[in-house]
Amino acid sequence: MQVSGLVWSLTLVGILGLVLFDFYFHVRRAHIPSLKEAGIWSSIYVGLAILFGLGVLIFGGQDMGAEYFAGWVTEKALSVDNLFVFLVLLNSFKVPRADQQKVLLFGIVFSLIARTGFIFLGAALINSFAWVFYLFGLILLITAGNLLKGDDSEDRSADNVIIRIARRFLRTSDDYDGDKLFTMQDGKRVLTPMLLVMIAIGGTDILFALDSIPAIFGLTQSVYLVFTATAFSLLGLRQLYFLLDGLLDRLIYLSYGLAAILAFIGVKLILHALHENNVPFINGGEHIDVVEIDTLVSLAFIIGVLIITVVASLLSPKGRAQTYVAAARRHANEFLDIETDPKYCDEIYHKLVDEEEHLKKLPEKYRARIRQESELMDLLRRAHQLHEQRVNDGSCFTVKV
């Protein structure tokens, strides 16, 4: 697919415009997006991505359109997986809810920049070395295996090596100062945890790129399609975070679905590498006649796996139990350690009470397991004690939201 410089320029300006619009009209003023706001803007960004794909289909043909949609759907699914880690990081750093938007937008912008670099590097390697397809395929197969094992790398935790280096060599404060990156402490200018969490998200974004870029190159080798599919998968991710907040923990089988998709694309890449083979020690450097997987087949497989994964997760009793437990733990932690605004604290507390009611309605085998989680039970007990204390001293609202 030949793309002119003008089209590239217009595309870059359009994406930059969307990022700036997101910042000036939504993120600059710290607030907690309502479910309605998150839903509307998530739909708008998904609609823009689909409209763009229809444009590719019209002007680029069926193959290009199928490659774009396969890439976009795959990257979108991987970006939802990224949200799980963002959730862990934001909770680990105890980022106030109203300030999480700025952190997420930074993560999106950093992802766009980092992945653009990886995209052009990957394209250069593919154009120069056909064996790179073998490498990309192997990376995806290893990643799929790690997802099946539930392998959580330390580098994706809130205490990764980047953060330890930052804390060691930079002067940092323990408390937030709104959404400021720097504050004054004992008469000295120091970094706030807000900057540290941005560094943590930036570090994990680089790791995510190592998984996602080989995946999309397995679906299309058009740099323009790789870039636009990646960009549109990231745009709207901030709104999707708040929209899926209560559902993220419910998608218990998502990692299995993503493992199947990445393994499928990994096999597709290796088959393509064998077809284009010029590696001397494989078949004497001659290509091998193998069956290559059609893009439409890839698109159908990816969408089918995601549908099965999401439906199975939502209908699973285990998923429902896990959702309520995770939500109760998150709301208790927010109530105890993160939020200071009395009105929002009361809202969190009543959400916690609602989650506890859901827990009581679970089958006995799940309730028995929950009662054995001493850390969770202690967390809930302390949350109730603190709420009672705040009601008694008049520092907490008592109207249920």
Side-chain angles (χ1 to χ4, degrees):
M1 182 179 181
Q2 297 298 321
V3 180
S4 67
L6 176 61
V7 173
W8 265 106
S9 299
L10 291 174
T11 302
L12 293 173
V13 169
I15 291 172
L16 179 60
L18 288 172
V19 172
L20 292 176
F21 175 85
D22 209 15
F23 175 77
Y24 281 103
F25 289 92
H26 294 108
V27 176
R28 186 171 56 168
R29 179 180 64 84
H31 71 287
I32 303 166
S34 65
L35 190 63
K36 180 180 178 181
E37 177 187 336
I40 290 173
W41 284 103
S42 292
S43 300
I44 289 173
Y45 279 109
V46 169
L48 289 174
I50 292 174
L51 284 175
F52 183 86
L54 292 176
V56 173
L57 188 65
I58 293 169
F59 295 103
Q62 178 179 301
D63 289 343
M64 292 297 100
E67 288 180 8
Y68 166 80
F69 279 112
W72 175 66
V73 171
T74 300
E75 291 296 302
K76 199 68 175 177
L78 289 170
S79 70
V80 172
D81 188 48
N82 296 2
L83 291 181
F84 285 97
V85 180
F86 289 171
L87 182 65
V88 171
L89 289 171
L90 293 173
N91 285 334
S92 298
F93 280 97
K94 300 179 180 179
V95 181
R97 186 74 164 170
D99 297 324
Q100 290 180 3
Q101 291 198 94
K102 180 170 286 189
V103 176
L104 291 169
L105 185 62
F106 168 82
I108 291 169
V109 172
F110 187 90
S111 289
L112 278 170
I113 296 171
R115 295 186 191 202
T116 299
F118 279 117
I119 286 168
F120 284 101
L121 175 61
L125 289 173
I126 287 172
N127 290 332
S128 301
F129 310 103
W131 56 262
V132 170
F133 286 111
Y134 288 113
L135 177 62
F136 281 2
L138 183 61
I139 289 173
L140 294 182
L141 291 174
I142 292 173
T143 303
N146 288 336
L147 285 172
L148 288 176
K149 292 190 300 181
D151 183 30
D152 294 323
S153 170
E154 181 187 286
D155 293 330
R156 292 189 178 187
S157 72
D159 190 32
N160 61 34
V161 65
I162 299 173
I163 293 303
R164 291 199 294 271
I165 292 173
R167 289 188 186 276
R168 180 175 181 180
F169 294 102
L170 301 175
R171 186 184 298 274
T172 61
S173 68
D174 295 326
D175 302 315
Y176 289 91
D177 185 6
D179 59 1
K180 295 179 181 177
L181 302 182
F182 299 90
T183 188
M184 298 300 294
Q185 189 176 73
D186 300 327
K188 296 181 180 179
R189 188 177 177 84
V190 297
L191 305 175
T192 69
M194 181 64 70
L195 186 58
L196 289 179
V197 70
M198 288 184 174
I199 293 172
I201 284 184
T204 57
D205 279 335
I206 293 175
L207 294 175
F208 289 139
L210 295 177
D211 297 341
S212 67
I213 297 306
I216 194 168
F217 267 116
L219 298 167
T220 177
Q221 280 81 63
S222 167
V223 176
Y224 182 75
L225 294 183
V226 170
F227 172 76
T228 51
T230 301
F232 277 109
S233 72
L234 292 172
L235 293 172
L237 192 60
R238 178 185 62 80
Q239 293 87 346
L240 192 63
Y241 174 86
F242 291 97
L243 182 65
L244 297 181
D245 184 26
L247 287 177
L248 280 175
D249 300 305
R250 185 83 176 258
L251 301 176
I252 60 172
Y253 299 126
L254 180 64
S255 60
Y256 296 106
L258 291 177
I261 291 170
L262 293 180
F264 175 83
I265 299 174
V267 171
K268 185 177 186 293
L269 271 171
I270 291 175
L271 289 174
H272 181 71
L274 291 170
H275 188 268
E276 301 292 327
N277 179 61
N278 60 5
V279 178
F281 55 83
I282 298 178
N283 197 38
E286 298 295 326
H287 80 277
I288 303 173
D289 289 325
V290 293
V291 176
E292 291 206 72
I293 302 172
D294 183 74
T295 304
L296 288 175
V297 173
S298 300
L299 179 59
F301 178 84
I302 291 165
I303 293 176
V305 167
L306 289 176
I307 291 174
I308 293 171
T309 298
V310 172
V311 171
S313 296
L314 295 179
L315 296 180
S316 166
K318 179 181 177 182
R320 189 164 61 251
Q322 183 168 309
T323 300
Y324 298 148
V325 169
R329 180 181 287 110
R330 185 165 65 253
H331 291 142
N333 278 319
E334 280 186 287
F335 182 74
L336 288 168
D337 299 327
I338 300 177
E339 295 297 338
T340 57
D341 180 77
K343 185 175 181 180
Y344 188 54
C345 277
D346 190 63
E347 182 180 335
I348 294 172
Y349 178 76
H350 287 296
K351 286 181 178 179
L352 172 61
V353 172
D354 289 340
E355 297 302 338
E356 288 180 302
E357 289 300 317
H358 288 309
L359 291 175
K360 292 176 183 177
K361 296 176 182 178
L362 291 172
E364 174 57 29
K365 68 175 182 178
Y366 294 112
R367 285 187 283 130
R369 292 174 189 172
I370 292 169
R371 287 194 295 268
Q372 293 174 2
E373 295 188 33
S374 57
E375 182 182 350
L376 173 63
M377 301 308 293
D378 180 64
L379 194 66
L380 298 178
R381 179 183 55 78
R382 289 192 292 116
H384 285 290
Q385 289 178 344
L386 179 59
H387 180 262
E388 184 177 350
Q389 177 184 335
R390 287 176 175 175
V391 170
N392 291 335
D393 63 22
S395 63
C396 185
F397 289 85
T398 56
V399 179
K400 184 172 181 178
V401 178

